[in-house]
Amino acid sequence: MTTDKDAPISGEMPRNEGTDATAPADPGPDADGGPGTGGAAGTENLDSPLHLRPAELRGGGEVEHRDKVFELRKVSVSYGSHRAVGDVSMDVFQRNITALIGPSGCGKSTLLRCLNRMNDLVPSARVDGEVIYHGENLYGPRVDPVQVRKVIGMVFQKPNPFPKSIYDNVAFGPRTMGIKQNMDDIVEEALRGAALWDEVKDKLTSNGLSLSGGQQQRLCIARAIAVKPEVVLMDEPCSALDPIATLKIEDLIRQLKDEYTIVIVTHNMQQAARVSDMTAFFSVRTSEGKRTGELVEYDDTEKIFSTPADRRTEDYISGRFG
Amino acid sequence: MTASQRGSVSPEAGAEETPRRPLGAARPRHGEKVVKGFLALCAALSVGVTIAIVVSLLTPTIGFFREVSVVEFLTGTQWSPGFARGEFGVLPIVVGTLTVVVIALLVAIPIGLLSAIYLAEYAPRRVRAVIKPALEVLEGIPTVAIGLFGLFLLRPLAEQIFPFMNWRGDFSIGVAGVAVGLLIVPLIASVSEDAMRSVPGGLREGAYALGANKMRVSLRVVFPAAISGIVAAVVLAMSRAIGETMIVLLVAGAGNPNLSFDLARGAQTMTAYIGGTATGDIATGTTVYNTIFAVGSLLFLMTLVVNLFAIRLVRRFREVYE
């Protein structure tokens, strides 16, 4: 199981045979993780207060931390000369739900988009620092962003189903990966995984855009998990939805945790509290008229919402926004 | 009502209130009516002109069909309306027109659409900033210039490239088709590019996040979503090719209506017949005079059918995005 080559894709999810798994990541031997968080030896930079070792967390928090999926080391993202978010160092753990919260403009979405190289699509964007994915730098010279996105999927703020049938929406990803067989099963499994199957099984040929907003977003989640990624990034997935649809998506996110590592950006603090295991709070620092986001505090969600270490976190979560 | 009551109950408070502004118009706004009338007149004028054109086409056409039967006109294979014992089989010049249109589309659709995909999806901003205006300038080149280019450059060039063909005389219907194709390339490229650029970026992001590469995003997501605009571009170009007169007159020649399908020789098209015949010394009311209008009506009908057909096609295949 702990072979180097295909650990990030098929190591945990054996249903990915036949895809070109070799290219995207070439993780170190620790990546697939033996027991006891094999990555602990790699976390030497204890000087950063933001960088929490799993060992420390395990003592205090009740959340179960598994292996590290992402290690961010002093990550900064700039658009042109403007630094949108600076010097973020944090770890994201496997099969955890990690929430990124904070006020508008604090760079949480920008940071999220670094994790599957979506920022590459913005010509002026530049990423400094290291985003380590299972031991390999995502921005390393041999890494192909197209392959990265096959392993690290994304769900967007506004539901964006393709103007195609429900079936074709879900099948798009697998077809992109060259899968041709058992497409019906793949589509059904993904739709079941997104808790949408019962609602759409009789109208798979109708247009994805004919669904309600909440259904569209679940379709987008089905589309994302149809390629069996390891990680699903969610950029405020409920911000365009009504409260009932939001609750459904939140239930779904909790279910998805069994199979996927999830990083979710949200404006809604209650949502972070309801669904996430770990929460990172970001804030905005304004200097010389330029606003740069920074990571204030990263800890177990329960700790963030009960006894935050930083005053700014406390102000934000208690509604005294400062 | 309430205001006056309040005023009567407490006069002092009423005195401090600002006086109510009258709700009636101070004076009738005649200017507005004049403007509205003028705008309506302009709209009516364009409709009126269209109707006038149709009527002016139809009257001599009816006269023509009093002398020549519809069956003879539509099925005859000899076209010599100018002779004493004239033949009025329109097929040779219809075939001439269709030949030009088919060749023009064969040239222009691939070149135009590929340029559009390049400009909309691939071209760096700087390249696009040069090419797009250049295309728009090309759209405005006088057709007589393209005709001369076709006659003196393309025609000899074609003879060198395809020496095995049966080149005779100075004219070639095939080269005329290519020249008309060059005329409509910018139209197809420019309008399709606009259609593709107006596809929401969210759809592209959704596809990229599934690990699709640029080619797949362009061809499987953007292109289908823009199909209605692209078909509109092609139809517009086709109408232009059907109606194009100057280029075919110069490159294919105005005489020699034939059904030979020989691309290397000159042939007459419907527009070339009209353009070559409708000179100042033609007597009104004669059969030849009426013939021009009959051919014009047929041309009009063909364009109409193409447009109606295209509208149905678009309704059936378009992918509606929000």
Side-chain angles (χ1 to χ4, degrees):
Chain A
M1 205 49 170
T2 45
T3 51
D4 290 359
K5 274 290 181 192
D6 49 0
I9 297 178
S10 61
E12 300 290 332
M13 282 150 287
R15 235 186 48 58
N16 233 323
E17 67 281 336
T19 62
D20 40 359
T22 45
D26 207 0
D30 285 342
D32 206 37
T37 61
T43 56
E44 289 136 348
N45 49 342
L46 302 175
D47 47 331
S48 163
L50 305 175
H51 197 98
L52 298 163
R53 289 180 304 168
E56 285 178 347
L57 290 165
R58 185 160 285 178
E62 282 148 46
V63 184
E64 183 191 354
H65 293 301
R66 307 185 194 202
D67 307 328
K68 283 186 277 190
V69 175
F70 290 108
E71 296 165 62
L72 276 61
R73 297 199 186 131
K74 287 196 168 293
V75 173
S76 305
V77 189
S78 314
Y79 294 114
S81 63
H82 172 58
R83 175 173 277 205
V85 57
D87 286 336
V88 177
S89 297
M90 61 185 280
D91 294 344
V92 173
F93 299 97
Q94 197 160 48
R95 295 186 193 183
N96 261 12
I97 300 176
T98 306
L100 312 181
I101 65 170
S104 300
C106 68
K108 51 197 191 301
S109 289
T110 300
L111 188 71
L112 188 78
R113 294 165 61 92
C114 282
L115 301 183
N116 67 343
R117 296 197 55 170
M118 284 302 279
N119 277 331
D120 288 25
L121 302 175
V122 183
S124 64
R126 203 184 76 240
V127 178
D128 296 310
E130 285 180 312
V131 182
I132 310 287
Y133 172 73
H134 286 298
E136 185 176 19
N137 190 352
L138 269 190
Y139 288 83
R142 282 179 57 246
V143 174
D144 177 8
V146 170
Q147 298 296 340
V148 169
R149 297 185 200 121
K150 288 178 182 170
V151 196
I152 306 169
M154 191 162 193
V155 175
F156 297 86
Q157 192 168 355
K158 187 167 169 271
N160 59 348
F162 303 130
K164 302 176 188 294
S165 72
I166 293 168
Y167 186 99
D168 286 342
N169 260 283
V170 181
F172 187 92
R175 283 174 183 156
T176 301
M177 300 177 79
I179 297 172
K180 292 196 175 72
Q181 283 155 1
N182 304 327
M183 192 57 80
D184 291 357
D185 297 337
I186 293 173
V187 170
E188 177 173 345
E189 194 191 331
L191 285 169
R192 282 190 192 281
L196 190 59
W197 174 252
D198 291 332
E199 291 160 63
V200 302
K201 64 183 175 197
D202 299 323
K203 49 174 183 176
L204 291 174
T205 53
S206 42
N207 195 308
L209 286 161
S210 66
L211 300 173
S212 72
Q215 288 174 324
Q216 284 186 19
Q217 196 60 300
R218 276 180 284 152
L219 178 61
C220 291
I221 292 173
R223 191 174 71 180
I225 63 178
V227 296
K228 293 277 166 187
E230 186 194 358
V231 184
V232 180
L233 309 175
M234 299 187 171
D235 188 359
E236 299 187 39
C238 302
S239 65
L241 305 180
D242 64 65
I244 291 170
T246 298
L247 285 179
K248 278 190 183 169
I249 302 268
E250 286 180 9
D251 282 345
L252 172 60
I253 292 171
R254 275 190 293 263
Q255 287 169 28
L256 291 175
K257 183 190 156 185
D258 294 339
E259 277 186 77
Y260 305 96
T261 304
I262 294 170
V263 185
I264 178 171
V265 165
T266 176
H267 265 308
N268 182 334
M269 286 175 292
Q270 278 69 40
Q271 186 170 69
R274 281 192 297 261
V275 303
S276 69
D277 301 310
M278 302 271 298
T279 298
F281 173 68
F282 291 79
S283 182
V284 187
R285 169 175 292 166
T286 309
S287 66
E288 295 165 14
K290 290 194 168 177
R291 296 156 59 88
T292 301
E294 57 177 359
L295 176 59
V296 174
E297 193 172 354
Y298 178 44
D299 211 326
D300 290 354
T301 298
E302 204 183 305
K303 184 144 181 291
I304 291 276
F305 281 90
S306 57
T307 52
D310 195 288
R311 176 72 194 277
R312 288 171 289 174
T313 316
E314 195 179 348
D315 286 350
Y316 186 77
I317 61 168
S318 60
R320 284 193 308 274
F321 181 57
Chain B
M1 183 74 166
T2 44
S4 69
Q5 276 173 348
R6 217 192 306 150
S8 65
V9 171
S10 57
E12 288 113 324
E16 284 170 29
E17 279 176 22
T18 51
R20 278 193 299 133
R21 281 182 251 170
L23 297 179
R27 57 198 136 77
R29 285 186 291 269
H30 292 301
E32 204 164 298
K33 280 180 192 138
V34 170
V35 168
K36 188 177 155 191
F38 181 72
L39 294 178
L41 198 72
C42 289
L45 189 73
S46 61
V47 176
V49 167
T50 311
I51 292 172
I53 290 173
V54 173
V55 169
S56 71
L57 270 178
L58 282 183
T59 324
T61 304
I62 292 165
F64 172 79
F65 284 120
R66 286 220 182 89
E67 296 171 50
V68 181
S69 80
V70 179
V71 177
E72 189 194 337
F73 180 64
L74 291 180
T75 60
T77 55
Q78 290 297 319
W79 182 252
S80 54
F83 296 159
R85 285 188 50 82
E87 300 271 1
F88 295 93
V90 79
L91 278 183
I93 59 172
V94 171
V95 166
T97 291
L98 292 182
T99 309
V100 167
V101 170
V102 168
I103 292 177
L105 290 179
L106 284 179
V107 170
I109 289 180
I111 299 180
L113 291 189
L114 293 177
S115 328
I117 289 174
Y118 173 73
L119 284 179
E121 304 297 317
Y122 285 83
R125 199 179 298 167
R126 273 202 217 134
V127 175
R128 192 180 168 277
V130 175
I131 296 185
K132 178 82 177 174
L135 274 180
E136 275 153 10
V137 169
L138 274 176
E139 265 183 81
I141 284 191
T143 54
V144 67
I146 295 179
L148 292 174
F149 173 75
L151 185 60
F152 295 118
L153 264 110
L154 285 184
R155 167 68 181 72
L157 192 70
E159 199 168 340
Q160 281 177 3
I161 297 176
F162 305 103
F164 48 85
M165 284 176 79
N166 183 24
W167 300 101
R168 245 187 291 155
D170 293 329
F171 301 122
S172 157
I173 187 89
V175 174
V178 173
V180 173
L182 295 181
L183 172 78
I184 59 178
V185 161
L187 184 72
I188 292 183
S190 178
V191 177
S192 320
E193 197 246 348
D194 288 341
M196 285 193 247
R197 281 179 80 83
S198 61
V199 171
L203 290 184
R204 289 185 185 85
E205 282 198 329
Y208 279 123
L210 291 166
N213 59 21
K214 202 151 205 171
M215 184 52 83
R216 195 170 163 80
V217 173
S218 307
L219 294 184
R220 293 302 171 86
V221 176
V222 178
F223 190 87
I227 195 73
S228 62
I230 291 167
V231 171
V234 171
V235 169
L236 209 62
M238 199 163 159
S239 302
R240 181 117 197 243
I242 292 175
E244 174 47 39
T245 309
M246 207 59 205
I247 294 175
V248 289
L249 207 54
L250 285 174
V251 185
N256 189 22
N258 64 74
L259 268 174
S260 69
F261 293 98
D262 189 346
L263 299 182
R265 291 172 57 192
Q268 199 174 51
T269 68
M270 299 164 78
T271 50
Y273 167 72
I274 297 174
T277 312
T279 51
D281 50 66
I282 188 168
T284 54
T286 60
T287 311
V288 173
Y289 174 84
N290 285 344
T291 312
I292 295 171
F293 287 90
V295 174
S297 297
L298 187 62
L299 209 52
F300 177 73
L301 202 69
M302 282 167 65
T303 321
L304 195 71
V305 168
V306 166
N307 281 313
L308 290 178
F309 180 72
I311 289 170
R312 295 201 134 196
L313 200 78
V314 167
R315 283 225 185 99
R316 200 159 149 204
F317 289 109
R318 74 176 165 172
E319 294 186 342
V320 184
Y321 52 82
E322 281 170 304

